[in-house]
Every structure is written in C-alpha cells, then in structure tokens.
C-alpha cells in the first residue's frame, strides 16, 4: 500500500507540474508577445501574487512555514537569486523567441542538471541516458543553426534560464532535505527576497511606464494577465512538489516532455514562427531523444524499486529463517 501511495504521489505531482508548466508557457506567450507586455513587470506580478497567496494562507493557517528570522535567511539563500534569474530570463526568452525554438533550447537544462547532480549530489546516469541527452542537445543546436528568426538576446536569456533551472532543481532538493523551510517556505521567501530587486529593475527599465499603456480596458488581456500572475505561484508550487516526490532530473524531464507538445503547438501560437525544413528536422531530433530519455529514466526508477522490494523480501525471509533456527531445540 505504501509503495502504491508513493507511486501515485510521484505520478500525480509529475502530471500536475506538466499541466501547470504547459498552461503558463502558453498564457505567458499570449501576454508578452500578443500584447507586447514588458516581461519584467509580469515577473514582478508573479512574485507579488505568490507573496499574497502564501501570506494570506499562513494568516488563516491554511499553510505553514517558518517565520522570517536571520536563520531563515541563511537557510534559503542562494535559491532566491537563482529564482530571480530563472523567472526574468525565462520570461524574456519567451517574449523574444518563437515557442518551438524556446522549448527546444530549454532542453539544455537537462544536460546542465545531469552535470550538477553528479558534482553536487553524487548522482550519475547510465551511458544510454547520457547519449540521449547529447542527442537532445545536438537536435537543439541543429535547429538553432537553421532558425529563421534568430534573436541573440533571446538565446542568451534562455541559456541563463537553463542554468538557473538546473541550479534551482538541485538546490531545491537540498533545501527540502536539509532545512525546515518546507515547500511553502521556499516559495514564499524566494519571492519575498527578490520582489524589491525586481521592482527596482522594472523601475529603471521603464517597465511600469510601458505597462500603463497596456490595454487594461480589454477584459481578455486583463484576465490573461491575472491568470499569468497566479499561474506563476502554481507553477513554482508544482515544481517543488515534483522535485520533492521525484528528483531534480525527473522534474526537468517532465518539463521537456511538456515542451514537446508546446514545440508543435507553438508553430501556430504567437505568429512568430517561420518554417524551415532543416529547422523542423532539428526540432524532431531533439523531441525524439526526449521521448527516449524519459522512457529510460522511468524504466531505471522502476527497476530500482523492484530491486529494492526484492532485497526487502529476501531480508525478511532470512530473518524468519534465522528466527526459526534459534527457536528449534
């Protein structure tokens, strides 16, 4: 029963993260590209929404996390800095790149996560898994070479976001295991410590002035903006849950699988994708490698669990055998 519950938690949190991540990429793209909305302001709005939701939840005892102290501050860092880089550059890349290229370049985060898990957590992956990761990266580079809408600032932002995503996954796992912050504390203090620096950034880039000229009288835009802000909290919550019940790499892989759907759907959303056969081939190479890697990842997990259960059964059998030997006259 415990194993079934654990499996259900892993699968449900992975699906929750995939659905949240899919929804926020689409809604962010609509707000940022269709309405030319400043990405820094949207990042600020998502942080404010997270602080309000969790702050009110703690006030009414719906959620619980440690109060702000010097010890809390020491425990949370450097996650807020990583979070800031991830959200700012992620939204900036979403605005500047078409969705197919944005999603395929996000697969570099898997390679970075794999390296970080090895150096920081001591986890290593099989040669077959490593090969599929390299194929993902090769497909992404091939597609980028033939990208008809190449945008250097967008590419740079996506790569910074990839690094931040990998660091965020690994450090989130360490914070969940080594501190008493909990998932709500991590989400709350990430936003709390970075909302003021983000506000300063928005002020100096004239983000607030640009936001004032947005079509706020358009209920469709206003609704999409509010949803995008709330989805920022939901996405971060789903990331922490998926990482807690699975692993940093599994969270990244689920994100990549979601990105496969966005890759093809993005050709019709946003209106900024220019078709090229060579680019399309690169996208498909990376997508196929993602599917194979995901299969290998979950197959290895299943084999590891079955091996653990088998060892547990053998251990119990040996204990019973030793007990019967001791009791025999």
């Amino acid at each position: 029963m415990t194993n079934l519950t654990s499996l259900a938690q892993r699968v449900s949190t992975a699906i929750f993260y995939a659905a949240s991540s899919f929804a926020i990429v689409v809604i962010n793209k609509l707000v940022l590209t269709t309405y030319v909305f400043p990405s820094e302001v949207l990042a600020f709005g998502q942080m404010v929404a997270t602080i309000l939701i969790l702050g009110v939840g703690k006030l009414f005892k719906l959620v619980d996390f440690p109060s702000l102290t010097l010890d809390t501050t020491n425990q949370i860092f450097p996650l807020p800095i990583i979070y800031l880089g991830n959200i700012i550059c992620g939204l900036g890349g979403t605005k500047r790149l078409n969705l197919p290229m944005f999603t395929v370049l996000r697969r570099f985060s898997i390679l970075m996560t794999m390296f970080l898990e090895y150096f920081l957590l001591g986890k290593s992956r099989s040669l077959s898994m490593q090969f599929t990761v390299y194929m993902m990266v090769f497909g992404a580079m091939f597609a980028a070479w033939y990208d008809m809408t190449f945008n250097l600032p967008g590419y740079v932002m996506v790569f910074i976001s990839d690094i931040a995503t990998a660091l965020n996954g690994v450090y989130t796992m360490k914070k969940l295991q080594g501190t008493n912050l909990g998932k709500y504390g991590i989400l709350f203090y990430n936003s709390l410590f970075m909302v003021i620096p983000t506000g300063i950034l928005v002020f100096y880039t004239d983000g607030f002035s640009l936001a004032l000229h947005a079509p706020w009288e358009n209920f469709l835009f206003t609704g999409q903006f509010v949803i995008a802000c709330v989805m920022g909290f939901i996405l971060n919550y789903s990331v922490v849950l998926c990482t807690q019940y699975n692993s940093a790499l599994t969270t990244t892989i689920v994100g990549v699988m979601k990105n496969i759907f966005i890759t093809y759907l993005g050709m019709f959303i946003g209106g900024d994708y220019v078709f090229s056969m060579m680019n399309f081939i690169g996208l498909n190479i990376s997508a196929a490698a993602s599917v194979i890697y995901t299969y290998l990842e979950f197959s290895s997990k299943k084999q590891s669990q079955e091996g653990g259960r088998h060892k547990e059964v053998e251990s119990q059998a040996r204990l019973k055998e030793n007990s019967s030997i001791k009791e025999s006259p």
Side-chain angles (χ1 to χ4, degrees), residues 79-123:
L79 265 180
I81 299 173
I82 297 170
Y83 167 71
L84 177 64
N86 195 6
I87 190 171
I88 292 292
C89 293
L91 290 173
T94 302
K95 182 176 182 178
R96 289 167 175 81
L97 301 180
N98 59 72
L99 282 181
M101 284 311 305
F102 172 77
T103 53
V104 78
L105 291 174
R106 289 287 288 154
R107 290 179 188 133
F108 277 87
S109 62
I110 296 182
L111 178 65
M112 297 170 185
T113 301
M114 187 172 67
F115 287 151
L116 286 173
E117 283 196 338
Y118 177 75
F119 289 109
L120 296 180
L121 302 180
K123 293 183 179 180

Side-chain angles (χ1 to χ4, degrees), residues 206-218:
D206 284 333
F208 289 125
S209 298
L210 295 173
L212 288 175
H213 293 87
W216 296 106
E217 71 282 355
N218 185 332

Side-chain angles (χ1 to χ4, degrees), residues 107 110 128-140 253 256-257 260 282-296:
R107 290 179 188 133
I110 296 182
S128 57
M129 287 185 176
Q130 293 181 38
F131 176 76
T132 54
V133 171
Y134 299 140
M135 286 302 297
M136 277 187 245
V137 172
F138 169 76
I253 290 296
V256 169
M257 292 303 296
I260 291 177
L283 294 175
N284 281 281
I285 291 173
S286 186
S290 302
V291 174
I292 297 171
Y293 187 92
T294 304
Y295 171 77
L296 293 174

Side-chain angles (χ1 to χ4, degrees), residues 178-221:
T179 68
N180 64 342
L181 292 170
K183 51 183 176 286
Y184 298 116
I186 289 175
L187 294 177
F188 181 80
Y189 290 115
N190 272 348
S191 296
L192 182 66
F193 285 123
M194 289 296 108
V195 69
I196 294 178
T198 304
I200 295 173
L201 175 65
V202 172
F203 178 79
Y204 277 103
T205 57
D206 284 333
F208 289 125
S209 298
L210 295 173
L212 288 175
H213 293 87
W216 296 106
E217 71 282 355
N218 185 332
F219 290 108
L220 180 60
F221 164 74

Side-chain angles (χ1 to χ4, degrees), residues 45-55 83 187-188 191 232-233 236:
Q46 291 179 348
M47 291 180 186
V48 171
T50 299
I51 294 170
L52 290 176
I53 291 171
L54 288 176
Y83 167 71
L187 294 177
F188 181 80
S191 296
F233 161 73
N236 289 325

